[in-house]
Amino acid sequence: MSDHILERAAGVAQAGGELGAALATRARLMDLTQGSHDAALLPKTPGGLAHGLRAHLAARMSRICSDDALAHHYDRLGEVSPDLADLARPGHQPEAPRLAALVAYVDKMTLHPKEATAQDIDILRDAGVAEDDIVRLAGLVAFVNYQIRVAKVLRVMEGQS
Amino acid sequence: MSRVITKFTTRVPHWRPHVTPVDLDHASDEQREALRETPSNTKISEYVLVLAHDPQALTLRTPLFNGIMYDPGGLSRAERELGAVAASFVNRCIYCAAVHASRYNQITKDSSVMQKVFLDGEKADIDPRAKAILSFGVKLSLCPPEITAEDVDALRAVGLDSQEILDLTLSTALFGWANRLMHTLGEPVEKS
């Protein structure tokens, strides 16, 4: 049985048959995926993006992509920062300029990454987001969007078996 | 300043970062360790030097990238590249699309498929198996992703088994990840 977040959220932690065998063939990749989850959500060096903030932003992305199971997981990770819990609701716009810039980036790169321009990075920089934090934020958004898509297909495949 | 490329092409452009890359001469031990392996075993690029701002993530991401694209078994190399191109097409990551369309062309020794994909997207007139893979990759890359049991069945109908469907899902989703880095942290420009 897998204790990885992705497989548990997709309901395939105990999958057998062809799907279980396929996941076992890619066990090293699923381990690296779990490691990437920890690096994006619970990094040793969080910089200017605290663990609780990351979790609430991940919950927001999960809700934008209609993934209730991952949203629930990220809500629980976010319990360390209850003051930021509103960020987990899509549509909620914080007033503080730095948080507003972070949320604008999260929403745009989850919903319409094709519209990204240099200006999106300028907005973060102008709001006081440091260069290394811009890379951390991009990595968080990119990982969660990957995880949501793998979970989506696994859930559909498990439903067929 | 070089012109930004906005149209799909198989000619690989130069990638110009919006964020200052890590200076290799002043990199920390953790950053150097993260740069020991590179995506597709290419040279240390400005792109990976940008990602080196977050060495813990990069240390895991590079072997995951290489494993999803190159580990043996399951879906063919070319069809993994097709999943990568489908995501890059939806997300309009011109750079990723160019790199992975050109790899597809090298492997298949046929440039007509990518020409049609860049011209007509999902409606490209290509063989049924490639078309089913492309269509699945496009739907999975939308937000929210639009995959149903019928979409998985459409892959099975053209001969993909569960392992191949998982591998296609991983390569397509991986490019949802890569596109959100490459297309936001920099932009493709003409090689000078």
Side-chain angles (χ1 to χ4, degrees):
Chain A
M1 180 174 163
S2 172
D3 58 0
H4 295 159
I5 301 306
L6 197 163
E7 290 94 310
R8 279 168 45 194
V12 299
Q14 302 184 67
E18 268 191 34
L19 180 57
L23 285 165
T25 300
R26 301 302 179 211
R28 189 181 70 93
L29 304 181
M30 301 312 289
D31 285 345
L32 286 165
T33 296
Q34 176 62 29
S36 294
H37 164 275
D38 298 344
L41 274 301
L42 303 161
K44 290 180 302 228
T45 311
L49 301 176
H51 289 176
L53 170 63
R54 290 168 185 252
H56 289 307
L57 294 175
R60 183 182 183 99
M61 290 183 261
S62 303
R63 291 205 167 83
I64 290 172
C65 293
S66 312
D67 193 320
D68 294 340
L70 282 172
H72 179 68
H73 162 69
Y74 288 123
D75 283 346
R76 287 184 53 191
L77 271 191
E79 283 169 5
V80 291
S81 303
D83 51 316
L84 296 174
D86 283 346
L87 297 180
R89 282 190 289 116
H92 172 78
Q93 301 299 336
E95 281 175 28
R98 185 173 181 274
L99 276 184
L102 297 175
V103 163
Y105 179 92
V106 165
D107 287 354
K108 182 169 179 180
M109 300 320 163
T110 298
L111 283 159
H112 318 290
K114 71 175 179 183
E115 290 167 16
T117 68
Q119 212 189 345
D120 297 305
I121 301 301
D122 291 340
I123 290 168
L124 291 171
R125 207 178 270 126
D126 292 348
V129 183
E131 295 243 295
D132 49 1
D133 287 335
I134 292 174
V135 175
R136 292 184 178 106
L137 177 67
L140 171 69
V141 171
F143 168 77
V144 173
N145 274 282
Y146 157 85
Q147 184 189 39
I148 285 166
R149 286 177 171 77
V150 178
K152 174 79 187 180
V153 177
L154 292 180
R155 210 172 275 133
V156 171
M157 291 176 81
E158 178 64 6
Q160 290 180 311
S161 61
Chain B
M1 210 156 149
S2 320
R3 199 173 64 86
V4 178
I5 299 172
T6 56
K7 285 189 177 151
F8 288 113
T9 171
T10 52
R11 275 183 53 195
V12 178
H14 174 68
W15 185 78
R16 181 168 64 202
H18 300 320
V19 175
T20 313
V22 167
D23 177 355
L24 197 50
D25 292 338
H26 297 96
S28 68
D29 289 346
E30 195 188 6
Q31 286 171 329
R32 286 174 186 282
E33 185 63 28
L35 292 163
R36 277 180 52 182
E37 187 181 357
T38 58
S40 304
N41 293 313
T42 50
K43 68 176 175 61
I44 295 178
S45 60
E46 284 195 299
Y47 171 60
V48 288
L49 286 170
V50 166
L51 299 186
H53 281 294
D54 188 351
Q56 186 185 347
L58 182 59
T59 301
L60 292 148
R61 188 185 177 278
T62 304
L64 177 57
F65 179 100
N66 286 335
I68 288 176
M69 297 311 286
Y70 302 106
D71 273 3
L75 194 68
S76 71
R77 282 269 301 108
E79 288 172 333
R80 295 183 207 189
E81 299 290 356
L82 188 52
V85 171
S88 305
F89 182 80
V90 170
N91 297 326
R92 225 177 157 77
C93 184
I94 305 293
Y95 187 91
C96 295
V99 169
H100 295 279
S102 64
R103 291 213 178 114
Y104 180 90
N105 290 350
Q106 282 165 13
I107 298 164
T108 61
K109 300 185 171 46
D110 173 9
S111 60
S112 68
V113 173
M114 285 301 154
Q115 275 172 10
K116 290 173 185 168
V117 170
F118 284 169
L119 202 63
D120 297 324
E122 254 189 291
K123 296 187 182 77
D125 180 21
I126 51 180
D127 80 73
R129 182 169 162 119
K131 200 175 172 74
I133 289 171
L134 179 69
S135 170
F136 185 90
V138 166
K139 285 183 169 178
L140 182 56
S141 301
L142 299 174
C143 180
E146 289 181 7
I147 295 296
T148 64
E150 289 75 54
D151 299 307
V152 173
D153 288 341
L155 291 177
R156 295 195 190 281
V158 293
L160 277 80
D161 63 20
S162 294
Q163 185 72 59
E164 291 175 308
I165 296 168
L166 172 62
D167 292 351
L168 174 62
T169 298
L170 288 171
S171 70
T172 304
L174 177 70
F175 274 79
W177 181 344
N179 298 158
R180 283 177 174 82
L181 296 174
M182 276 216 122
H183 187 46
T184 69
L185 295 174
E187 61 195 355
V189 294
E190 282 180 351
K191 277 186 175 160
S192 50

